Amino acid sequence: MSPPSAINIEGVTDTESILLPSPLTINDVPSRRAKAGLLNGGVAAATNSDLFKSPWHAGKKKAKRWDRKLLSAVCLWEPKKPVTSFQTGSQLRAPSIKGLAKHLKKPGMISLGGGLPSSDYFPLEELHIKVPSVGHFSEQETRESGILMKIGKHDASEGKGVYALNYGQGTGSAQLLRFVTEHTEIVHNPPYQDWRCTMTAGNTSALGMAYRMFANRGDCILSEEYTFATAVETAAPMGVKVVGIEMDDQGLIPESMDEILNTWDVKARGADKPFILYTVPSGQNPTGATQGLQRRRQIYKIAQKHDLYIFEDEPYYFLQMQPYAGPNVPDVPPPASHNEFVKALVPSLLSLDIDGRVMRMDSFSKVIAPGTRCGWITASEQIVNKIIQHNEASIQNPSGISQLVLYKLLDENWGHGGYLDWLINLRIAYTERRNIILHACERFLPREVTTWNPPAAGMFLWMKLDVKKHPHAGSKTVIDIENEILEASIDRNVLVVPGSWFRAEKDVEPSEMYFRATFAAAASEKMTEAIRRFGDAVKASFEI
């Protein structure tokens, strides 16, 4: 059952109306919202996550402060200087006009303040979207029995939806922020008091802002030795270098990170000791590796030892799959309930974060649609406030239309239970896709030179080729052989991505060779044929 809609009527905050003796569950949400009254979320409504969190968080300790690590001003172009004590938003810049929005809820207030155009002059009258009903998620079911949702440009003023077409706050809309705050509490339950969420224009945008908040030109940050290429490319123009940490089948190796930090030589490295770790813990891009619970605890412990701040980039978190049983073996049954599904997820670094040293980045890109360009971060109040300032100095706010569509789908239609049902549906679908590509690898790749680990999450398969067994290993570089196999694959009409393209340290010559394949998009028979073609390219290059 969907939670009740909450638009445009004054009421007490969610946390004033009901005290929950235990962590929030999806079953608690409808009754808590009903007792709270309808949410007053008007044009550019001032909001924050504290309005939607369970009150029992007040009994936890507050997050560590990062005054000496944060950079002073919201400035996207000039070099910034560290501050010796944290400055409030009013100290950092001139007063924001958007700050006046908190007064709009006052009865009888007439605003001649903000430059908000009248919706009378928006040349859109209605939008219609057709979405799946809960439990009927296939394309055919949606065509036949999907729910048609109508969105009118005056809906919000009539108490029917999110303000989407006008300017908004850097927090995102109050209605969608409420949903993601509740979702974060249900799934992660951060263990400190002053955690908050704020909406973003996706993880890459949030990461760029985080770099500007914490890193100066010439700084180094830590990441997996093979990492999300855009994370490196985003840092490079800022003069920030990425230092790679050795990996195994569970991602970054904690002992390797500890060794790098213990032996850091400022003079030899030409940079101060890093204090930022960027990591993709689940279904890591490009390797597909997933950090187990114990591995995450070890990483967090080393972060505490060296006082690191962690950027937890988790677009693939909800693409965790069923264990791979092997060919011709019955599949492991999927979770049978919402509770089983949540418990089956590897606990996040956020859920382990007793200090407030994690900024978690979530996105709708991999679980709804990349074109929404909408996500959220969760961190301490101090960090979230800085992200909001960066939002308002750059993107202003996430796309209003995207927020409106997401609100209609997730909150008004599905509710938290329906969204978890959708995520369970994705878990099953990605498990099937993962199994298809693994079966194809077992059939067509030469095992004498090719190895891989079944991914537990995400959408990527990482294949290692034993370059030492290549007939020209003594006369050609790894890059040369890698390019040769890439060209041979292209000649056979299949695209895979060379592993060297994902190296954190581009200036270091690789000694091993990998290729990345995705199982997210191609049809089953095409995926199998693609692996066969890649296998032929490998055999030709290795003269097998």
Side-chain angles (χ1 to χ4, degrees):
M1 170 179 155
S2 298
S5 178
I7 305 296
N8 240 11
I9 298 178
E10 289 286 350
V12 295
T13 67
D14 286 0
T15 55
E16 290 173 332
S17 59
I18 180 170
L19 294 177
L20 296 179
S22 58
L24 186 67
T25 70
I26 61 173
N27 294 327
D28 297 322
V29 172
S31 61
R32 190 175 76 170
R33 288 193 185 185
K35 291 181 180 180
L38 296 179
L39 177 63
N40 179 26
V43 176
T47 188
N48 68 71
S49 284
D50 285 350
L51 301 177
F52 313 121
K53 289 160 51 178
S54 296
W56 63 271
H57 288 285
K60 301 176 180 178
K61 74 170 188 176
K62 288 192 173 183
K64 171 185 172 71
R65 292 188 64 83
W66 298 91
D67 300 348
R68 295 185 179 276
K69 301 295 187 183
L70 285 166
L71 302 175
S72 59
V74 178
C75 174
L76 306 185
W77 305 280
E78 298 294 331
K80 301 171 285 294
K81 298 179 180 179
V83 292
T84 55
S85 62
F86 182 68
Q87 300 176 12
T88 65
S90 60
Q91 292 171 311
L92 290 176
R93 56 179 184 164
S96 170
I97 294 174
K98 287 188 177 182
L100 293 173
K102 64 185 178 183
H103 300 294
L104 294 177
K105 64 181 180 181
K106 183 178 178 181
M109 177 65 70
I110 301 173
S111 175
L112 301 180
L116 303 173
S118 169
S119 59
D120 291 346
Y121 308 115
F122 298 163
L124 299 172
E125 185 62 30
E126 292 180 354
L127 297 174
H128 293 259
I129 57 173
K130 193 173 187 179
V131 300
S133 58
V134 174
H136 303 280
F137 297 121
S138 72
E139 284 189 323
Q140 181 175 345
E141 287 175 312
T142 303
R143 282 192 295 267
E144 294 174 354
S145 61
I147 298 171
L148 188 63
M149 307 190 80
K150 173 186 171 182
I151 304 167
K153 69 176 179 180
H154 297 301
D155 279 359
S157 60
E158 297 170 0
K160 299 177 183 176
V162 172
Y163 280 87
L165 300 181
N166 223 313
Y167 290 111
Q169 295 282 346
T171 56
S173 73
Q175 293 89 348
L176 193 57
L177 180 64
R178 177 179 62 177
F179 184 89
V180 301
T181 300
E182 292 167 346
H183 171 80
T184 297
E185 185 172 346
I186 290 166
V187 175
H188 305 289
N189 189 23
Y192 60 93
Q193 179 189 140
D194 52 332
W195 64 271
R196 285 187 177 182
C197 301
T198 195
M199 305 305 299
T200 69
N203 288 12
T204 300
S205 174
L207 180 62
M209 293 178 188
Y211 284 159
R212 292 184 180 97
M213 285 164 49
F214 282 97
N216 248 321
R217 184 168 295 277
D219 285 350
C220 290
I221 64 172
L222 300 169
S223 186
E224 292 91 348
E225 61 180 331
Y226 293 92
T227 190
F228 178 41
T230 303
V232 179
E233 293 161 359
T234 300
M238 303 179 194
V240 176
K241 184 178 179 181
V242 182
V243 177
I245 304 167
E246 291 182 15
M247 303 177 70
D248 61 14
D249 61 346
Q250 285 194 57
L252 73 85
I253 300 172
E255 294 80 5
S256 174
M257 180 169 69
D258 193 32
E259 177 69 14
I260 289 171
L261 294 168
N262 283 333
T263 61
W264 189 268
D265 187 322
V266 173
K267 186 175 181 180
R269 294 274 192 171
D272 291 337
K273 181 178 173 180
F275 63 88
I276 293 296
L277 168 64
Y278 168 79
T279 183
V280 183
S282 307
Q284 197 256 0
N285 184 2
T287 68
T290 296
Q291 300 166 8
L293 175 57
Q294 186 58 31
R295 174 65 57 90
R296 297 183 195 214
R297 286 173 173 162
Q298 291 170 333
I299 290 168
Y300 191 83
K301 185 175 181 179
I302 291 170
Q304 289 180 307
K305 174 183 175 181
H306 295 280
D307 202 21
L308 301 181
Y309 194 84
I310 302 172
F311 297 158
E312 180 184 23
D313 190 1
E314 279 285 35
Y316 310 104
Y317 185 75
F318 290 107
L319 298 186
Q320 295 183 46
M321 295 170 280
Q322 296 298 97
Y324 181 62
N328 304 317
V329 177
D331 293 336
V332 177
S337 67
H338 298 144
N339 189 48
E340 277 189 27
F341 171 68
V342 172
K343 286 185 176 181
L345 299 169
V346 181
S348 63
L349 287 168
L350 175 65
S351 73
L352 305 176
D353 183 21
I354 59 174
D355 300 333
R357 66 175 65 250
V358 174
M359 184 184 87
R360 178 183 171 88
M361 294 172 278
D362 278 284
S363 174
F364 292 113
S365 292
K366 304 302 187 293
V367 296
I368 300 294
T372 61
R373 303 317 307 143
C374 195
W376 73 97
I377 64 115
T378 306
S380 67
E381 178 181 356
Q382 181 187 28
I383 304 304
V384 167
N385 285 343
K386 296 284 279 186
I387 288 286
I388 292 169
Q389 290 175 20
H390 276 265
N391 273 349
E392 293 182 347
S394 57
I395 65 168
Q396 291 276 327
N397 54 272
S399 164
I401 292 178
S402 290
Q403 291 186 81
L404 176 55
V405 171
L406 288 166
Y407 166 77
K408 285 283 188 178
L409 174 66
L410 299 176
D411 196 294
E412 191 173 293
N413 183 25
W414 284 354
H416 288 286
Y419 184 44
L420 292 185
D421 287 335
W422 169 250
L423 296 175
I424 293 170
N425 171 70
L426 287 182
R427 182 184 182 100
I428 296 169
Y430 272 82
T431 298
E432 292 173 353
R433 285 184 159 275
R434 187 269 319 269
N435 292 350
I436 288 168
I437 200 169
L438 290 176
H439 295 165
C441 290
E442 288 156 1
R443 288 179 60 190
F444 297 118
L445 296 186
R447 297 302 294 264
E448 57 267 43
V449 298
T450 315
T451 56
W452 60 88
N453 292 307
M459 52 179 60
F460 302 115
L461 177 67
W462 190 238
M463 299 169 287
K464 181 178 181 179
L465 303 183
D466 190 347
V467 70
K468 295 178 181 177
K469 294 182 179 179
H470 195 276
H472 303 295
S475 59
K476 294 183 177 181
T477 67
V478 172
I479 297 295
D480 290 338
I481 297 171
E482 182 185 68
N483 287 335
E484 177 184 300
I485 294 173
L486 174 62
E487 291 300 323
S489 299
I490 293 171
D491 289 344
R492 290 166 172 79
N493 284 340
V494 61
L495 284 177
V496 290
V497 185
S500 67
W501 294 11
F502 301 98
R503 287 187 63 81
E505 300 181 51
K506 303 290 188 182
D507 53 348
V508 177
E509 181 73 20
S511 60
E512 296 180 330
M513 184 166 61
Y514 300 90
F515 282 87
R516 191 196 76 175
T518 179
F519 48 89
S524 301
E525 62 278 4
K526 289 186 176 181
M527 193 155 39
T528 298
E529 174 61 17
I531 292 297
R532 186 194 67 77
R533 295 176 185 179
F534 177 65
D536 287 347
V538 172
K539 291 172 187 176
S541 180
F542 277 81
E543 300 178 6
I544 296 173

